[in-house]
Amino acid sequence: MEKGNRIDPLRIALVCMALMLLTLVYVFQHLNYFQGLNAILGGALPGTGAWVFVVNRTARLVVNDLLCMALVHGLFANKNYLRLAFYLFLLEVMVVLPLYLWAKLHWEGTSEISSPLLSPIHRMVVNPLLMVLLIVALFYQQRAEKGKA
């Protein structure tokens, strides 16, 4: 978080804001995103349990990952790292989320409790687990690059 030898207050503010908002997403994890989205769309979405489940899980994944991308930007200020976080986000949204939603709705329905088979995938979708692992890997990469220089 340094520019040369100075600490960049904007990056520190971005990191603090992202962490605070991630904490709020966790605290209010049972927030019904479906109701808000349906109100904005004028009640256009079907109110079945599966729709509510899909919208809520998708919204939480998107919010968590966007906040984690802000965290990556604040911590590293490296366009390549942010690009990597974006591609990881796309992988989650395009591959992991649909597979999880299909398996969860097909085998278990909309219950909050996941079986041991789906629990790890549930953690990746509901919590920003992949992004947190990415941040750790980026710190390691940055330290390894500094060690070579």
Side-chain angles (χ1 to χ4, degrees):
M1 283 191 239
E2 295 181 9
K3 257 186 188 174
N5 289 331
R6 287 189 355 226
I7 294 177
D8 186 358
L10 291 175
R11 287 180 51 206
I12 291 173
L14 181 61
V15 167
C16 291
M17 184 181 70
L19 289 172
M20 182 183 68
L21 290 172
L22 280 166
T23 302
L24 287 174
V25 169
Y26 176 75
V27 168
F28 296 107
Q29 61 187 300
H30 296 292
L31 183 70
N32 193 339
Y33 296 97
F34 177 84
Q35 285 180 334
L37 182 62
N38 206 22
I40 291 169
L41 297 175
L45 297 175
T48 63
W51 269 97
V52 173
F53 182 82
V54 168
V55 168
N56 285 334
R57 290 303 180 273
T58 303
R60 186 147 175 223
L61 174 87
V62 169
V63 169
N64 275 334
D65 281 359
L66 289 175
L67 290 172
C68 284
M69 287 175 61
L71 190 59
V72 166
H73 181 66
L75 289 171
F76 302 104
N78 182 320
K79 288 182 183 179
N80 290 329
Y81 288 1
L82 189 58
R83 189 174 299 123
L84 179 61
F86 176 74
Y87 289 133
L88 180 64
F89 170 66
L90 282 180
L91 177 74
E92 275 187 304
V93 170
M94 302 292 209
V95 176
V96 176
L97 180 65
L99 286 173
Y100 165 74
L101 291 172
W102 175 82
K104 177 73 173 158
L105 293 172
H106 182 73
W107 289 326
E108 298 178 349
T110 60
S111 71
E112 288 294 318
I113 307 294
S114 287
S115 69
L117 176 67
L118 287 178
S119 189
I121 300 169
H122 175 82
R123 292 287 148 236
M124 282 194 303
V125 170
V126 175
N127 300 329
L129 181 64
L130 287 177
M131 283 292 185
V132 171
L133 291 173
L134 175 67
I135 290 169
V136 171
L138 292 175
F139 269 119
Y140 179 78
Q141 175 70 25
Q142 194 175 45
R143 295 284 183 217
E145 287 174 1
K146 283 183 181 179
K148 288 182 182 179

